[in-house]
Amino acid sequence: MGFPVMVALVVVLGALLVFWARTDRDATSAPRVGDHWHSAYDVYVCDTFRSKIVLETDPNGIHSHGDGLIHIHPFNKLASGRDAVLGEFFAAFGGFIDDQSFMLDTGETVVEGFDCGGEPAVLKVARFDADDLSREPEILTEDLANLRLLKNREAFTIAMVPESVDPPAPRAERLSFLDTVDPNLLQSDSPTLATTTTTAD
């Protein structure tokens, strides 16, 4: 084997090693299999909040329990790290989201462009910090299916609003319920949400 061939082989092996290391790092970045995060969400169309997602199917570990929260506890690598995305949440209940439309668990598809207060509606997703709603939200309009779920206790509003309007924060009851959820009461292999009810004296 000549020297040039050996050099080429070393270069190829080095490139493969870098690719493998990067892929493995992405697959093991948070949220990891075994993590259990919660984020509030709401759906807002023109000037009206929509109902909660109630279908609880979940092949990979990003879903809702019909409670107005996104439960993020990956069962496998398909919903962990860089694959923990908003599109995975929609896909779990049979819906979808792209940069112009989304489909809810009812089968309704909402497509931008309809009249909303005299202006065409556009699809925006607002990312809030549930622990500091005074901070300006991040408003996203592109690559929405791949919007990453970055940490515990985020809050999202998926909205169809005029270009000049920012989405509102999720409703107060969604954020209040987020404060009551105890991850230790959730069974990862079951769609049932166990809750504790406290009554006033």
Side-chain angles (χ1 to χ4, degrees), residues 13 49 60 70 79 87 89 95 105 118 121 133 148 170 172 174 184-185:
L13 290 175
F49 283 106
N60 298 314
I70 302 174
F89 171 62
D105 59 336
L133 292 175
R148 286 191 63 192
R174 304 285 175 98
N184 295 322
L185 298 179

Side-chain angles (χ1 to χ4, degrees), residues 124-139:
K124 302 180 183 182
V125 176
R127 183 203 304 269
F128 297 85
D129 185 338
D131 293 316
D132 187 3
L133 292 175
S134 65
R135 294 178 58 185
E136 287 293 318
E138 180 184 10
I139 309 295

Side-chain angles (χ1 to χ4, degrees), residues 133-189:
L133 292 175
S134 65
R135 294 178 58 185
E136 287 293 318
E138 180 184 10
I139 309 295
L140 301 112
T141 59
E142 297 180 351
D143 202 22
L144 298 180
N146 292 315
L147 187 160
R148 286 191 63 192
L149 308 174
L150 295 174
K151 66 186 185 75
N152 190 37
R153 294 183 58 81
E154 294 185 292
F156 298 92
T157 301
I158 299 100
M160 284 286 188
V161 291
E163 181 67 40
S164 59
V165 175
D166 287 340
R171 283 170 281 189
E173 58 264 31
R174 304 285 175 98
L175 298 165
S176 296
F177 189 71
L178 179 62
D179 291 334
T180 71
V181 175
D182 181 353
N184 295 322
L185 298 179
L186 293 166
Q187 302 299 317
S188 295
D189 58 352

Side-chain angles (χ1 to χ4, degrees), residues 63-113:
H63 57 271
S64 184
H65 291 287
D67 53 10
L69 302 183
I70 302 174
H71 295 255
I72 306 154
H73 53 107
F75 305 146
N76 55 55
K77 290 184 177 181
L78 296 177
S80 64
R82 292 184 179 274
D83 292 319
V85 294
L86 189 62
E88 179 65 30
F89 171 62
F90 274 80
F93 61 77
F96 69 82
I97 185 168
D98 56 33
D99 291 353
Q100 294 83 37
S101 61
F102 58 84
M103 187 172 80
L104 300 172
D105 59 336
T106 59
E108 177 189 8
T109 299
V110 184
V111 182
E112 65 181 19

